[in-house]
Amino acid sequence: MRRAPVRARIRAGIRARRVVPLVAVLLAFTGALTVPGTGTAHAAGYRYWSFWESDGAEWTYATQGPALARPADGAVNGFRFAVSADSQDAAKPRETPDFAAVCGSMPAKSGAKRIAVVVDPGTGADAPDGETPPAPLAECARVDADATSADALAAVAKPLRYNSAALLCAITGYPKSGCGEQISDDGAASPAPTASRATGGLTKDDENEAGGTPSLGIVAGAAAVLTLASAAVWQARRRRG
């Protein structure tokens, strides 16, 4: 009568031994992606343009890329260039002007909207080797009523540069090279992993007209892998119980 529980424990042990290597592989995979916020011992963050929205009093990290965001007339969008580990660590634009301060002299127009665009190229400490950040700018973009934040940026801050994955690499030509590269503690840069197009909503043909945000596809993929790993551990424990 005691054999069934013993066999059940043996089967659970076998399943657990199968799950452990799977979890190890999944965690190793997420580590290779260098999930922003977890990082590695040698990773300081990524050098990239982050995208922000403001209510006129403070900046909030945007929940979608500028190619997907469709702000209303009177919105304030911001872009900041810096080395950041993740959205919680990301440096905000240093100035927070309200809409009236940027677009107050531009009257409303039927069929169009006005977006205040703030571009902060950051500090010399975050600049690529041999480059100096240009002066910040705050311009009013008048764009079509259904335009995106990326359209507004393109209206006032050209030239823009994108990579083959449609990630926003440069605003007003800064920086001249590089795109979302990983920066180690010793200052060395390595190319950024390819991000998912789903987050930027762009194709190759959209380059120089719209924009995207870096590393969001990596974060989403890593989160999915971590979810699978956690589920595998939970299932193994449930079977053992």
Side-chain angles (χ1 to χ4, degrees):
M1 297 295 293
R2 295 179 179 276
R3 290 182 178 179
V6 172
R7 289 175 180 172
R9 286 196 297 271
I10 292 173
R11 286 196 296 270
I14 292 173
R15 293 191 187 100
R17 286 193 295 272
R18 289 175 178 172
V19 168
V20 170
L22 171 62
V23 174
V25 170
L26 292 174
L27 293 177
F29 177 69
T30 59
L33 288 179
T34 314
V35 183
T38 59
T40 67
H42 303 289
Y46 292 87
R47 180 188 285 132
Y48 67 96
W49 283 99
S50 55
F51 173 44
W52 302 79
E53 298 169 332
S54 173
D55 59 2
E58 63 179 338
W59 292 108
T60 301
Y61 200 91
T63 57
Q64 55 186 339
L68 299 178
R70 296 183 184 277
D73 181 78
V76 180
N77 287 173
F79 297 84
R80 171 68 190 269
F81 188 75
V83 175
S84 305
D86 56 25
S87 59
Q88 280 68 45
D89 173 70
K92 301 178 181 180
R94 289 168 290 178
E95 297 293 332
T96 314
D98 60 23
F99 176 77
V102 180
C103 293
S105 62
M106 181 178 289
K109 181 180 179 181
S110 177
K113 61 185 177 183
R114 299 157 299 166
I115 309 298
V117 179
V118 177
V119 177
D120 185 347
T123 67
D126 289 332
D129 290 344
E131 295 200 51
T132 300
L137 67 83
E139 297 287 344
C140 189
R142 174 178 279 162
V143 291
D144 292 340
D146 64 346
T148 65
S149 293
D151 295 326
L153 176 65
V156 299
K158 290 182 179 179
L160 306 179
R161 176 169 58 84
Y162 297 89
N163 69 4
S164 60
L167 298 183
L168 179 60
C169 303
I171 298 177
T172 63
Y174 177 78
K176 296 178 181 178
S177 62
C179 190
E181 62 269 22
Q182 186 179 20
I183 308 300
S184 63
D185 287 333
D186 60 6
S190 58
T194 301
S196 167
R197 285 181 183 272
T199 59
L202 299 177
T203 65
K204 177 73 171 176
D205 294 334
D206 291 317
E207 293 185 5
N208 298 321
E209 294 185 31
T213 54
S215 304
L216 294 181
I218 298 170
V219 175
V225 171
L226 285 173
T227 299
L228 291 173
S230 299
V233 173
W234 175 84
Q235 188 175 35
R237 291 176 176 172
R238 182 173 178 272
R239 287 170 175 168
R240 287 199 299 270

